[in-house]
Each structure stands twice: as C-alpha cells, then as structure tokens.
Amino acid sequence: MSSAMWAATDGRRFDAALGHHQRAASLAQESGDQAILFRVWSHKGSLYRHLGRPVDALDANDVARRLSITRRDPLFASLGHARHAAILGLTRDKAGVDRALGCAREAMLRADPGEGRPVRLTAFYDEAEVHSLAATAYLAAGRHAEAEARAHASLTLFRPHLVRSRAITTARLARAQLGQREAERAVATAASVDAAHPRVRSMLDSFTRDLRRIAPGPLYDSWEQQWTAA
C-alpha cells in the first residue's frame, strides 16, 4: 500500500495517493514496523508538498521525524531532515531550510554505512539525493543560484541505476537556470531530459510555462515545438 501511495504521488494521481495513505498508515500502525511507518508518513509529507500544502506536509513529516527509528539510525533522521528542508522551501523560510539541510548532512555523516537497512531506503538515499532535495528547497524559496549549484552537485554523484532521479534533478537544474534568466542554457538543459516519466513531464510543463513568461519569442517558439512533439 505504501508503494501504491508513492506510485500514485509520482504519477500525479494525488486523490488516489491520499486514499492509499489511509490504508497504508493503518496497516503500518498494526505492524509496529518503524521503518515502514517512517516511509508512510514521510511519503505523506512529500505528497502534501507536491500539492502545495506546506503546513500539512510539515505536520506529516514531523510524524516521521519523531519516530524512534530516527534516533536509532541517523540515515532515517537524515532523510527526514532533507525532506523537511524541501517542504520549508515552500514557506520561504531561508534559515529553516539551511538548518534542516545542515542537520541532514550531519546525520548522514554519523550513519554507519554497514548497518542493515531496507533496500527501499538504501537504493535511492545518499548524498546525491540530499543535494537534489536541497535543489528543490532552494527552487521553492526562489534561491536559484543555490538551487543550480546543488543540482550540479547531485548530478555528479548519482549512481548509474538512478535514471529517473537524474531526470528529475536535471529538470530542476533547468528551472534554476531559467530562474536566473539564463534562458538559452535552461532550454539546452531541458532538452537533455528524458521526459518519459509523468512526474518529469509535469516538471517540464511548468518549465514551458515559465519560459513563455520569462523569454517569449523565437527561443520559446522553438522549445514549444520541440516539447509538443516529444
């Protein structure tokens, strides 16, 4: 149920994701499994972030961050802090974003790499993902130069199998470049993105709307033709 919830969130089927959460949270509570409880509530925080509801997102993510597993295993704590930073970006809380990212980095450094953990965590969460979530936070906060720097850092660190994550971060990089009015560079970056995934296509739809507002004219017309044909 937790996987179904995340798949629905990632596929932009938010009503379905909310329904899956209710069932997943009930089952997780019955099981008493701290790792799956963390996953369910952390994912709900991400769901509300995608819905643009930062207060609800912070509340859900706080449930995850207060679980005992975050005190036992710093890697879970790190992910909780990194996702908190991404949510705080929506509130434009500059100090809060920086503080949460600092906590995420510090907790990751304390985590024992040899400790046994669910593959669903270790398969994606690493320093590259921290930088990618930092890029998300800074983009939401309007700090585009910092978002670009973090996106570049993330892209140099991604493991080869994380193809979707690389596409998401590259789309974030394009948005960060466009936010700095570097439209030609932003379009070149966006053109390199594999947009097969619904979430990536949604991000590039937003990029297209921003490009039309920031740089109307031949560059936009050329990109729109390319994007429409993709």
Side-chain angles (χ1 to χ4, degrees):
M1 293 308 299
S2 177
S3 294
M5 173 191 170
W6 181 246
T9 300
D10 222 26
R12 327 314 283 168
R13 294 178 289 110
F14 298 128
D15 287 343
L18 286 167
H20 290 317
H21 168 78
Q22 185 174 1
R23 181 61 174 152
S26 176
L27 290 169
Q29 191 65 46
E30 290 176 17
S31 75
D33 185 327
Q34 288 278 301
I36 195 65
L37 278 166
F38 179 92
R39 186 187 195 209
V40 168
W41 284 100
S42 184
H43 280 177
K44 190 173 187 181
S46 295
L47 168 59
Y48 280 134
R49 173 169 62 83
H50 289 300
L51 286 168
R53 295 167 56 177
V55 174
D56 291 328
L58 290 169
D59 285 346
N61 198 54
D62 273 339
V63 174
R65 295 200 306 155
R66 290 169 183 158
L67 291 167
S68 62
I69 197 168
T70 64
R71 296 187 292 276
R72 296 198 309 268
D73 188 340
L75 196 65
F76 281 90
S78 177
L79 178 55
H81 289 308
R83 284 181 169 164
H84 217 64
I87 299 165
L88 287 170
L90 294 175
T91 71
R92 301 297 181 101
D93 182 351
K94 180 181 186 297
V97 167
D98 291 338
R99 183 167 54 251
L101 289 173
C103 289
R105 174 66 175 165
E106 186 273 334
M108 178 168 281
L109 290 173
R110 288 191 289 109
D112 179 359
E115 184 168 338
R117 298 182 177 93
V119 174
R120 60 179 175 265
L121 176 65
T122 58
F124 84 96
Y125 190 63
D126 55 13
E127 189 174 358
E129 183 66 12
V130 174
H131 283 300
S132 185
L133 286 167
T136 301
Y138 289 135
L139 268 178
R143 297 163 62 179
H144 296 105
E146 290 162 293
E148 179 179 8
R150 289 301 196 113
H152 280 302
S154 180
L155 290 169
T156 65
L157 295 170
F158 271 127
R159 288 170 281 172
H161 71 277
L162 293 170
V163 176
R164 171 188 153 283
S165 295
R166 178 176 292 277
I168 288 171
T169 301
T170 306
R172 288 170 180 160
L173 173 60
R175 294 287 300 277
Q177 291 168 336
L178 187 60
Q180 297 172 82
R181 301 301 195 267
E182 296 177 358
E184 290 188 5
R185 275 211 310 145
V187 166
T189 299
S192 73
V193 178
D194 179 356
H197 193 278
R199 181 173 170 189
V200 179
R201 290 196 67 84
S202 176
M203 295 173 75
L204 290 180
D205 282 339
S206 296
F207 171 85
T208 302
R209 290 191 294 271
D210 288 347
L211 181 65
R212 183 177 185 177
R213 174 176 53 83
I214 291 171
L219 181 64
Y220 170 76
D221 293 340
S222 176
W223 165 257
E224 184 185 36
Q225 291 177 1
Q226 178 181 346
W227 178 236
T228 301

